[in-house]
Amino acid sequence: MTDLVAFGEATLRLQAAHGRRLGDTESVDAGVGGPERNSVVTASSLGADAVWLSRLPDSPLGERVVADLRGHGVRTGVSCGDDADRLATAFVEAGPEPRRRTTVLDRSGAAFEQVHAGNLPVGVVRDAERFHVAGATPARSERAAAATESLLQAASEAGTTTSFDLRYREEDWSRETAREACEALLAHVDVLFISPAATEAIFGEDGDPIEIAHALRTDNDLETVVLLRDNGALAARDGEVHETDAVAGDVVDEAGARDAFVGAFHAARTAGDQPAGVGDALARAAATAALVRTLSGTSVDVSPAAVERILAEQ
């Protein structure tokens, strides 16, 4: 049985050289990104058997994405378009305060927009212990939304624990569209990751974090709700609440930290002979996210020994 299967889009991430702006850089660092890609890479580095599903162009860039995942020990199951299809691209400029991160997305017409669940190995989803998708994925296109719902439903019907990292950005979809889509998807979701900002935007919930987490869990018949906050995270499950503080440390790049948190949580809950409980999984996820914040760009591959060291020091 595969520990974790994730479905989502890959992005070619081109970041301006350190200390330079997009408008004047003479070189860029190229890497592969994407929320689900980042989560399965982190999970794999922490011992989980992971698979990533997507649709890619039949081109050298599509081949690069597959090589990237396999280089991190992640198996892939992809459908291919033709060599004229595009891979989504993100141009990134990062810097310390007061200069903020700038990301210019170029993804209209990318191969992933035409994804269809019937062209993916759905059997690996049914046979997995956990299946994960992030909120940006169903927002990409009508076909992506339909594929997301189809895969979540197939996983749920097979007894696979399903996970959804609900993210909301106004540039992706309106609040009304996001609310309708999430209502359909949550019928097939067991574990929900969400921020306070998204709970207010999508569900109109604002106030005490513990009350919000319990309300989301009971109102949507969820197994677990993980509320991600700047100062840590809390999880509501079976009437109990588990909390962890964020691990303090220097921040080189925030990109990928949330994805790494999700991947580490799932790895802790699945990998090994004795999977961690929810509280321990939260602590491991926070330690992993802290490590990733010290790395630049799409680096989310962490050392288990480094995570253990941080946990021992807390």
Side-chain angles (χ1 to χ4, degrees):
M1 178 182 288
T2 303
D3 293 325
L4 177 64
V5 177
F7 166 68
E9 183 174 29
T11 301
L12 181 64
R13 192 173 184 274
L14 303 174
Q15 182 163 328
H18 181 71
R20 304 298 294 270
R21 297 175 300 178
L22 283 171
D24 62 17
T25 188
E26 297 177 353
S27 62
V28 295
D29 292 326
V32 178
E36 297 89 355
R37 174 267 178 197
N38 294 341
S39 292
V40 292
V41 167
T42 298
S44 178
S45 71
L46 295 174
D49 179 29
V51 174
W52 179 79
L53 307 180
S54 190
R55 186 176 191 270
L56 295 170
D58 185 11
S59 69
L61 290 181
E63 294 170 1
R64 172 173 182 149
V65 173
V66 171
D68 166 78
L69 271 294
R70 292 180 178 174
H72 290 289
V74 178
R75 291 178 284 131
T76 59
V78 302
S79 62
C80 291
D82 55 43
D83 57 8
D85 281 342
R86 301 183 58 245
L87 183 68
T89 305
F91 298 87
V92 182
E93 173 189 314
E97 294 290 349
R99 187 160 62 89
R100 295 184 176 181
R101 167 183 301 279
T102 298
T103 302
V104 180
L105 293 175
D106 180 14
R107 59 185 187 179
S108 178
F112 185 77
E113 292 182 356
Q114 300 302 315
V115 69
H116 191 282
N119 295 328
L120 297 172
V122 181
V124 73
V125 174
R126 296 191 180 101
D127 292 338
E129 186 166 344
R130 292 189 168 226
F131 174 70
H132 174 69
V133 65
T137 297
R140 287 290 287 116
S141 68
E142 290 184 4
R143 285 201 174 190
T148 300
E149 184 172 2
S150 179
L151 292 172
L152 281 169
Q153 182 174 356
S156 181
E157 291 175 350
T160 298
T161 297
T162 54
S163 163
F164 185 49
D165 182 4
L166 198 167
R167 305 182 184 193
Y168 172 72
R169 301 190 315 166
E170 291 184 356
E171 53 265 45
D172 289 334
W173 47 7
S174 69
R175 293 192 181 194
E176 293 73 18
T177 302
R179 188 175 296 112
E180 291 176 3
C182 290
E183 287 176 355
L185 295 176
L186 289 180
H188 312 296
V189 170
D190 297 310
V191 182
L192 174 67
F193 295 88
I194 192 168
S195 68
T199 62
E200 183 175 4
I202 303 301
F203 300 104
E205 295 280 358
D206 188 20
D208 181 75
I210 294 178
E211 292 180 359
I212 290 174
H214 278 308
L216 288 175
R217 192 180 72 83
T218 55
D219 291 348
N220 297 283
D221 195 24
L222 300 166
E223 171 196 286
T224 305
V225 171
V226 179
L227 191 63
L228 302 166
R229 304 173 294 172
D230 291 338
N231 62 340
L234 66 84
R237 175 186 167 90
D238 295 334
E240 296 183 349
V241 172
H242 306 268
E243 295 188 68
T244 188
D245 293 330
V247 176
D250 293 335
V251 177
V252 172
D253 197 337
E254 187 70 30
R258 176 166 173 164
D259 307 327
F261 182 103
V262 172
F265 181 89
H266 286 311
R269 294 285 286 154
T270 60
D273 296 331
Q274 294 183 325
V278 172
D280 288 341
L282 284 178
R284 290 181 176 278
T288 301
L291 280 174
V292 168
R293 291 188 180 96
T294 68
L295 304 173
S296 179
T298 57
S299 300
V300 291
D301 189 339
V302 298
S303 162
V307 174
E308 294 297 337
R309 176 184 58 77
I310 291 176
L311 291 171
E313 294 174 352
Q314 297 306 300

